[in-house]
Amino acid sequence: MSAQAPNPVAPPVFEIPRPVDEFGQDGGKFYRCYDALAEEIDEDMVRGLKEQLDGMLIFAGLFAGVNTAFLALTLPLLSADTADDISALLAQNNAILIQVLTGRNDTDPTAAPLPSAGFSPSRDIFAINALFSLSLAFAIISSFLAVLGRQWLVYYRKRSGGGPEKQRWEQLKRFLGAERWRLEPILDDVLPSFLQIGLIIFCVSLILYLRHLSPAISVIVGIPMYIGLAFFIGSALCTVWDKCCPFQSPLSHVLVWSARTIPPVLRAIIEWLRRMVSSLTRRLLIWIYFSTRAHFLERWLRVVIFGLGEEIHGRADESSFRHWWRVWIHGRAEETSKSLQVIALQRAICTSDDPETLLHATANIFAITDVSQLKHLWSDPSFQDRFIEQVRHAYSRMLQLRGQNQVNIATASQRLYSAAAAHMILSSGSDWGVNWRFGKLIQVLGETSVLIPASQTPNPPTNWIQHGPPFTLRRLLYGYLLLDNTREDAIETLGTTLNMLVAPGATGPLDRNALLIGALRCVNQSMLKSTIDSDDFDLAHKFSLLQACERVLRSPQLSRAAQQVIQNIRIELSKYWLQRCSGRVLPSDVEALMRYIADIRTIHPTESGHHERIDILWAFGPSARQVLSSDPDNWLWEAAVNRFRIVKSFNEFVQEVDQGSRLMEVRPPLHF
């Protein structure tokens, strides 16, 4: 691989890439980085496998020659020795001559059978030749598969016609096919295992052959072989205890796979047996019930039917059967261009250590807006760990690579990673606020501190998704899902973000309405999961959250679904306030409600916000009435004053609603 020497006079300028609207539309920078990375990975894999296959071919040839030499010694032992027959025939001839000379004819020397007639090889000889032959067969199979593996690698690296775009995706398809059909494990583990098995069988047959010749020699030769075999097995067992152990071999890979696979398989078998027993029990009780009309079994039957698991045996789904039949007949469908782009991005982030490649790949995450593709991207555990690591350490690593004086570059890289993380979370669906898949990523966003303050984003650019809120979503996501401590800044950021989402001229690659609903649901979830006795997220901040949502209701761009979410937030907060005041009524709780009512008069004017004021009375009116009718002993510190403040505030609010109702000829819902 050739590399151009850097110019010390005019060094290349390192720039943090900007997020892109369409995948790869960054001047070809990501594709250049990816092509170099893919070429390096493929070349390294092919070169390593070819070297191993060449070594296998050489060793298999030498091993087959040694094995053949021993077979040349042991195979004749399976058949009778012709020298024994010749000796027997000469003995018969001598006996006939003696009879002729002595004149005796009382016996027939030719009646004795030859030694070959009743010959049968011993069990030891048969086992020795069988093991030697099996060892030779493994060596030949290994040689054949090694040659076949080299042909596979030639096809894998074979370039097709067309431009670089076609070659890139065709090579990626071959890479996916190689991973799907386990090309590297087959060439790296299965083929050497055949040769190792053949070598072990050869050692066993050699010891048996030497024991057949001389037991003492077999013991002398067998001791070092037993030690070598024990070392081989012990080194493989070490990899189970230590994953970073360098004693890697096909046997160690099998042991590690077994240790990781057998426990889940056993649990699955136990669960299957449990369900099988429950199914048989259910069938038996149903049969007894309908056969004997034993009504006393009805209660137990219900418990068994509804308390035990689902049945294992069922009719196969016809659509699933047709799908697999279609796949079997027509073959597996190829990946689409969008899927290949996601896989290329995933491959770049998981395998590259080059900061430029990682940054360009991260910038292209913004072009992925399909929910299924984002879930596929995030479903890979290696991608999760790698991307979370980049988000967490982007700032410090950029300072280490570029120097301590490059704070702006480090800050920009941190913002880019945080924005990409926020993009994946927000684009994953409307339920991103409670999406467990992104829990780790949300927590990492909470640990970052390189953000654009809310004061710097009053006038967001047109593409607000890429340049505005994602850089400040640490407060939005972490602050409200994990109850961050700096809530004032979080509420300010939330208000700015929500205003961007409902701005008339705001555009972006995401669905603004879905994004707004997701953010509002996130706020609603934070309302629900906070406990009464928790000081991390007190009542005042909950009302501040609701006020930020109330301001969004004034926008004509707001959808009906978003309005419904805000109304649910009101109801939940009203329930929370009533539950908090059920045991004791604190002045701070009264003050929080009074401040909210006062701010509502400004947020929703008398005429334009008339319907919203009615909804607020429906939400908080019953709770306020119930608190006012509670035991006076529950009111702590200035009970009369606080009760008077609630009555006065709500009466003034109701009078304003009544005045607006008269102007609009609408009757108010309730009076205090």
Side-chain angles (χ1 to χ4, degrees), residues 360-640:
H360 286 299
T362 304
N364 280 270
I365 291 179
F366 295 89
I368 304 174
T369 58
D370 186 74
V371 176
S372 60
Q373 293 179 358
L374 284 172
K375 290 183 178 180
H376 173 72
L377 179 66
W378 192 253
S379 61
D380 186 8
S382 60
F383 177 82
Q384 293 183 19
D385 297 338
R386 179 67 170 170
F387 189 75
I388 289 174
E389 180 186 4
Q390 293 299 322
V391 174
R392 180 180 285 118
H393 303 293
Y395 184 81
S396 59
R397 288 183 177 176
M398 191 58 64
L399 288 180
Q400 294 176 359
L401 294 174
R402 306 299 302 177
Q404 296 295 327
N405 57 343
Q406 300 292 330
V407 177
N408 294 332
I409 294 179
T411 303
S413 65
Q414 178 68 74
R415 290 173 179 168
L416 179 65
Y417 281 112
S418 300
H423 171 82
M424 287 193 294
I425 297 172
L426 297 175
S427 304
S428 62
S430 59
D431 58 342
W432 57 269
V434 292
N435 196 337
W436 61 269
R437 294 184 180 90
F438 297 97
K440 292 182 180 178
L441 190 56
I442 294 173
Q443 185 175 2
V444 172
L445 282 177
E447 299 172 1
T448 61
S449 58
V450 181
L451 305 166
I452 294 180
S455 59
Q456 297 182 13
T457 58
N459 299 316
T462 303
N463 195 348
W464 47 263
I465 288 294
Q466 296 179 1
H467 306 286
F471 293 135
T472 60
L473 281 172
R474 180 249 185 173
R475 306 298 186 193
L476 176 61
L477 297 176
Y478 186 76
Y480 294 103
L481 291 180
L482 302 180
L483 310 179
D484 193 18
N485 293 324
T486 55
R487 305 179 192 88
E488 289 77 8
D489 187 23
I491 296 170
E492 183 183 0
T493 301
L494 174 65
T496 304
T497 305
L498 295 181
N499 291 331
M500 291 178 182
L501 293 174
V502 297
T507 59
L510 300 181
D511 186 357
R512 289 191 299 161
N513 184 48
L515 185 59
L516 177 63
I517 294 175
L520 293 175
R521 287 180 177 177
C522 174
V523 175
N524 193 20
Q525 289 295 327
S526 64
M527 297 276 192
L528 292 175
K529 72 178 183 178
S530 299
T531 59
I532 297 177
D533 298 331
S534 176
D535 294 332
D536 295 332
F537 209 64
D538 57 12
L539 186 63
H541 291 98
K542 286 180 177 290
F543 275 110
S544 299
L545 273 176
L546 181 57
Q547 291 173 18
C549 298
E550 294 283 359
R551 292 184 176 90
V552 181
L553 285 173
R554 300 176 58 184
S555 173
Q557 308 293 332
L558 196 64
S559 64
R560 180 58 186 169
Q563 295 177 6
Q564 187 65 37
V565 176
I566 296 178
Q567 292 174 2
N568 293 335
I569 295 174
R570 288 178 187 157
I571 296 173
E572 294 298 335
L573 184 54
S574 174
K575 294 178 180 179
Y576 176 81
W577 184 79
L578 178 60
Q579 185 180 7
R580 186 181 180 91
C581 297
S582 60
R584 56 181 180 175
V585 182
L586 298 175
S588 59
D589 299 340
V590 177
E591 180 65 27
L593 180 60
M594 295 302 98
R595 188 182 298 111
Y596 169 72
I597 296 297
D599 292 338
I600 286 299
R601 296 176 180 177
T602 305
I603 296 174
H604 300 299
T606 303
E607 296 183 3
S608 61
H610 177 73
H611 294 287
E612 300 302 332
R613 290 192 173 198
I614 293 178
D615 293 338
I616 292 172
L617 286 177
W618 275 113
F620 288 94
S623 300
R625 283 180 177 271
Q626 189 171 350
V627 171
L628 289 173
S629 62
S630 62
D631 189 356
D633 296 336
N634 294 337
W635 294 73
L636 302 179
W637 302 302
E638 302 178 353

Side-chain angles (χ1 to χ4, degrees), residues 81-99 109-110 112-115:
D81 192 357
T82 56
D84 295 338
D85 290 345
I86 294 174
S87 299
L89 291 174
L90 291 176
Q92 292 178 6
N93 189 26
N94 293 334
I96 293 173
L97 292 176
I98 292 174
Q99 287 181 358
T110 60
L114 295 176

Side-chain angles (χ1 to χ4, degrees), residues 116-287:
S116 60
F119 176 80
S120 178
S122 63
R123 294 182 178 179
D124 293 340
I125 295 299
F126 181 80
I128 291 170
N129 282 274
L131 292 176
F132 273 131
S133 301
L134 184 62
S135 176
L136 180 60
F138 272 105
I140 295 175
I141 292 174
S142 300
S143 301
F144 171 73
L145 293 180
V147 174
L148 190 61
R150 287 187 60 87
Q151 295 178 353
W152 294 343
L153 295 177
V154 169
Y155 168 76
Y156 180 79
R157 294 294 291 163
K158 186 177 180 180
R159 294 288 184 179
S160 61
E165 185 80 11
K166 181 180 178 181
Q167 292 183 3
R168 178 187 305 115
W169 300 131
E170 184 175 352
Q171 189 63 24
L172 181 57
K173 290 179 181 179
R174 292 180 182 178
F175 170 77
L176 295 176
E179 280 197 338
R180 187 164 51 247
W181 292 99
R182 305 294 188 270
L183 175 64
E184 189 172 3
I186 288 176
L187 298 180
D188 199 21
D189 293 335
V190 177
L191 268 64
S193 65
F194 284 165
L195 201 57
Q196 292 175 4
I197 291 173
L199 182 60
I200 293 174
I201 294 174
F202 174 79
C203 294
V204 173
S205 58
L206 178 61
I207 293 174
L208 293 178
Y209 179 63
L210 292 177
R211 189 178 66 179
H212 176 75
L213 298 178
S214 173
I217 297 178
S218 67
V219 172
I220 296 174
V221 176
I223 289 176
M225 289 188 177
Y226 293 145
I227 295 175
L229 181 61
F231 179 79
F232 173 67
I233 297 175
S235 62
L237 291 174
C238 291
T239 58
V240 179
W241 179 71
D242 185 6
K243 295 181 180 180
C244 299
C245 180
F247 307 141
Q248 300 292 329
S249 64
L251 179 60
S252 66
H253 297 165
V254 172
L255 293 177
V256 171
W257 177 83
S258 301
R260 187 175 59 251
T261 306
I262 290 177
V265 171
L266 292 178
R267 287 194 296 268
I269 293 175
I270 294 173
E271 180 66 18
W272 180 81
L273 292 176
R274 188 189 69 82
R275 294 191 176 187
M276 180 65 69
V277 171
S278 67
S279 176
L280 294 177
T281 305
R282 185 185 303 110
R283 292 171 182 265
L284 178 61
L285 290 177
I286 293 174
W287 179 80

Side-chain angles (χ1 to χ4, degrees), residues 332-343:
R332 181 183 177 276
E334 293 186 355
E335 292 80 3
T336 61
S337 58
K338 297 293 185 181
S339 301
L340 291 175
Q341 291 173 355
V342 173
I343 295 171

